[in-house]
């Protein structure tokens, strides 16, 4: 069957969803013989994952697909927005700037940043299904004059936009999907104007992670398979990559190391007593045993009835693997979803 015949009306590629989990050996996650294949075919891996996972993310995480810090008593949605506003503030975004959102998802952060900093945001995404939803939600919010979206490969940004095109660039838990950090950071540096700022929340294994240990390696693979990531890498590699492509780092910090009373991974633990507000009980419930069973069988039935594409249930099962691994990685300080770096492209000579 041709690739065209596999494209669904909403832009999703059915074959990609069905074949997604075949990129990993789920029976032996302590070893990995296919990392080169995933890295080489990163676009297919990412699209297969998000074609199946996007609606599940919206079900459990609303429109901003990222983690954040929490204050005691702070509502889930409020914390997510604060995390986005914090990045914009750290980058010193100013009204009228043209800003690129690399890996924009369905546009939740782009809409928040546009409102908060009064900037023009262009969101880049290579997933047609997500872009369609991003455009619809942006129109519903009345922000179509401030936020736009472009289908593009973030490894080819300069080819799409030209060099020196943006006043600032940010990425929220997205560039981990790139085949190499040097490649995506290099493209970001090219499209950024001289003196412009790049801000990123990066997913990384911490420097305490040791890939020679089978338990550490397995933890990374569990995060990969359940999150659509070709290869998890240590935090130091992100730092090295930023410097190697020419950025000057002005501030860096692993926000997961902050001594927060409420851990960043609490919504994944499924303890109802940890919900910070009454409204967040539903969010936490989805990760309790009863919530997972409901999702498990509900999604299975939806797939059988043709309400979601084939393969969606299997993608959902891999997401449960990741949820458990993310909590474990957070507790053991082996993984962070919020390595914050603010860096600048040097002024031209």
């Amino acid at each position: 069957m041709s690739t065209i015949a596999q494209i669904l009306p909403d832009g999703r590629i059915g074959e990609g969803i069905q074949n997604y989990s075949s990129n990993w050996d789920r029976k032996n996650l302590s070893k990995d013989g296919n990392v080169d294949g995933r890295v080489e075919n990163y676009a297919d891996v990412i699209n297969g994952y998000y074609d199946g996972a996007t609606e599940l993310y919206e079900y459990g995480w609303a429109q901003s697909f990222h983690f954040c810090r929490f204050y005691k008593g702070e509502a889930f949605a409020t914390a997510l927005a604060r995390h986005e506003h914090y990045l914009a503030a750290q980058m010193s975004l100013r009204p009228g700037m043209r800003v690129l959102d690399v890996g924009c998802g369905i546009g939740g952060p782009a809409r928040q940043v546009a409102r908060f900093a009064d900037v023009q945001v262009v969101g880049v995404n290579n997933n047609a299904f997500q872009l369609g939803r991003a455009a619809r939600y942006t129109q519903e919010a009345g922000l179509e004059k401030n936020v736009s979206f472009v289908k593009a490969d973030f490894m080819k940004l300069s080819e799409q936009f030209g060099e020196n095109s943006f006043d600032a660039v940010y990425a929220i838990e997205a560039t981990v999907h790139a085949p190499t950090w040097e490649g995506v950071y290099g493209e970001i540096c090219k499209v950024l104007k001289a003196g412009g700022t790049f801000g990123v929340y990066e997913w990384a294994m911490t420097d305490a992670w040791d890939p020679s240990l089978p338990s550490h390696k397995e933890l990374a693979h569990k995060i990969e398979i359940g999150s659509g990531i070709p290869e998890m890498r240590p935090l130091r590699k992100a730092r090295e990559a930023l410097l190697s492509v020419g950025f000057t780092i002005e501030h860096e910090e692993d926000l997961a190391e902050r001594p927060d009373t409420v851990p960043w991974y609490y919504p994944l633990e499924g303890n109802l007593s940890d919900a910070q507000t009454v409204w967040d009980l539903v969010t936490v419930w989805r990760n309790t045993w009863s919530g997972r069973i409901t999702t498990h069988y509900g999604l299975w039935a939806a797939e059988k009835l043709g309400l979601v594409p084939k393969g969606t249930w299997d993608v959902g099962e891999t997401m449960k693997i990741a949820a458990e691994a993310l909590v474990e990685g957070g507790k053991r300080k082996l993984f962070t979803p919020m390595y914050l770096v603010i860096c600048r492209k040097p002024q031209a000579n």
Side-chain angles (χ1 to χ4, degrees):
M1 187 176 291
S2 67
T3 301
I4 293 176
Q6 287 292 322
I7 299 178
L8 305 178
D10 57 16
R12 287 185 281 191
I13 302 175
E15 187 176 52
I17 304 173
Q18 295 174 52
N19 293 335
Y20 169 73
S21 63
S22 65
N23 290 287
W24 288 265
D25 180 0
R26 291 168 68 170
K27 295 180 179 179
N28 190 3
L29 288 171
S30 63
K31 296 182 179 181
D32 188 7
N34 192 39
V35 62
D36 291 339
R38 292 197 305 272
V39 170
E40 182 180 354
N41 299 302
Y42 69 94
D44 291 336
V45 173
I46 296 168
N47 277 309
Y49 176 75
Y50 280 113
D51 278 352
T54 294
E55 289 178 301
L56 300 177
Y57 271 115
E58 290 188 61
Y59 166 69
W61 226 257
Q63 295 181 14
S64 292
F65 303 164
H66 61 78
F67 291 103
C68 64
R69 295 176 59 219
F70 294 96
Y71 288 115
K72 193 72 174 177
E74 185 177 35
F76 181 71
T78 301
L80 289 174
R82 177 177 51 76
H83 196 63
E84 295 155 5
H85 299 169
Y86 183 75
L87 181 62
Q90 290 293 306
M91 293 173 63
S92 298
L93 298 186
R94 295 290 181 266
M97 281 186 169
R98 188 171 187 242
V99 181
L100 182 67
D101 179 334
V102 177
C104 63
I106 59 172
R111 290 184 287 275
Q112 283 287 346
V113 169
R115 289 192 187 103
F116 176 79
D118 195 16
V119 294
Q120 297 291 318
V121 180
V122 177
V124 166
N125 193 327
N126 201 33
N127 184 272
F129 179 59
Q130 287 196 337
L131 285 171
R133 298 175 83 78
R136 176 161 62 86
Y137 293 142
T138 299
Q139 185 174 24
E140 290 172 356
L143 289 169
E144 62 269 27
K145 293 182 179 179
N146 306 89
V147 182
S148 60
F149 301 97
V150 177
K151 190 176 190 298
D153 185 339
F154 57 24
M155 300 298 288
K156 300 176 182 178
L157 293 175
S158 58
E159 181 180 316
Q160 179 80 33
F161 298 106
E163 298 188 9
N164 307 308
S165 300
F166 293 93
D167 301 299
V169 181
Y170 70 84
I172 299 179
E173 301 183 21
T175 44
V176 66
H177 292 289
T180 68
W181 274 326
E182 289 83 0
V184 68
Y185 293 159
E187 285 296 298
I188 288 169
C189 194
K190 288 178 183 178
V191 300
L192 192 59
K193 294 178 182 178
T197 303
F198 171 47
V200 59
Y201 287 129
E202 191 62 83
W203 270 39
M205 306 310 291
T206 68
D207 292 332
W209 178 74
D210 183 352
S212 69
L213 298 176
S215 64
H216 285 205
K217 194 70 172 176
E218 182 174 354
L219 180 70
H221 288 337
K222 287 180 177 178
I223 294 172
E224 290 167 356
I225 188 174
S227 307
I229 297 169
E231 180 186 23
M232 286 299 300
R233 311 176 185 96
L235 182 152
R236 67 178 181 278
K237 293 294 185 180
R239 181 188 303 114
E240 292 170 1
L242 287 165
L243 294 173
S244 73
V245 302
F247 279 116
T248 298
I249 294 178
E250 297 187 340
H251 176 75
E252 62 174 318
E253 179 184 5
D254 180 3
L255 295 182
E257 289 294 329
R258 294 278 187 96
D260 295 328
T261 303
V262 182
W264 60 264
Y265 50 79
Y266 100 82
L268 294 179
E269 288 190 283
N271 295 321
L272 291 176
S273 61
D274 290 339
Q276 295 302 297
T277 71
V278 173
W279 300 109
D280 294 337
L281 283 171
V282 175
T283 298
V284 177
W285 171 79
R286 293 183 180 120
N287 284 293
T288 62
W289 67 269
S290 60
R292 291 190 178 190
I293 288 175
T294 300
T295 302
H296 175 90
Y297 287 107
L299 192 58
W300 178 86
E303 185 171 316
K304 292 298 182 182
L305 293 170
L307 300 178
V308 297
K310 291 182 179 180
T312 303
W313 177 85
D314 193 50
V315 171
E317 292 300 287
T318 68
M319 291 173 69
K320 292 195 291 187
I321 294 173
E324 294 173 358
L326 291 169
V327 172
E328 180 185 352
K331 288 182 175 180
R332 296 173 63 187
K333 302 294 185 181
L334 296 176
F335 164 80
T336 178
M338 55 185 83
Y339 171 49
L340 167 66
V341 187
I342 305 297
C343 47
R344 191 172 299 278
K345 180 177 179 177
Q347 293 282 358
N349 292 327

